[in-house]
Amino acid sequence: MVVALLILVPIASVAVWAFFRFGPSNTERKTVLRFNLSALGIALLLAVAWCVRTYLVMSPTVDAPWWPIISALGALVLFPLVLAVAAVVRNFVIFRRREGTASQ
């Protein structure tokens, strides 16, 4: 568990940093900021949903004391994955560079 935290916490931190650092520069900042905040909100909602689901599944079992640890580890995996998908969608689908602006 400690090894997993030592691996997942830096990965999540770097994912958040990279998500904001490597945004598209050829678009309006307000639009990109709105997309980034909604992506963070979705990532947080999915992490909370994972925690609630884990609690509901594990609380009636003998493994009930472990649900907070499993929830935290799952959220630390889920959060960077959602941000990575959002970054790909943001940079290559929604705010992709237009052909005419790249050559000028």
Side-chain angles (χ1 to χ4, degrees), residues 12-61:
S13 302
V14 168
V16 171
W17 172 79
F19 182 72
F20 284 107
R21 173 70 177 93
F22 297 113
S25 60
N26 58 341
T27 58
E28 282 187 41
R29 288 191 178 272
K30 198 171 209 176
T31 308
V32 174
L33 180 64
R34 191 176 315 132
F35 181 86
N36 288 347
L37 290 178
S38 59
L40 277 175
I42 290 170
L44 285 173
L45 282 175
L46 287 175
V48 168
W50 168 259
C51 293
V52 169
R53 180 227 167 255
T54 305
Y55 172 75
L56 291 175
V57 168
M58 291 186 72
S59 63
T61 67

Side-chain angles (χ1 to χ4, degrees), residues 18-19 21-27 32 35-36 83-97:
F19 182 72
R21 173 70 177 93
F22 297 113
S25 60
N26 58 341
T27 58
V32 174
F35 181 86
N36 288 347
L83 288 184
V85 169
V88 168
V89 168
R90 178 190 65 197
N91 292 338
F92 298 114
V93 176
I94 296 177
F95 299 113
R96 69 178 170 209
R97 192 175 295 213

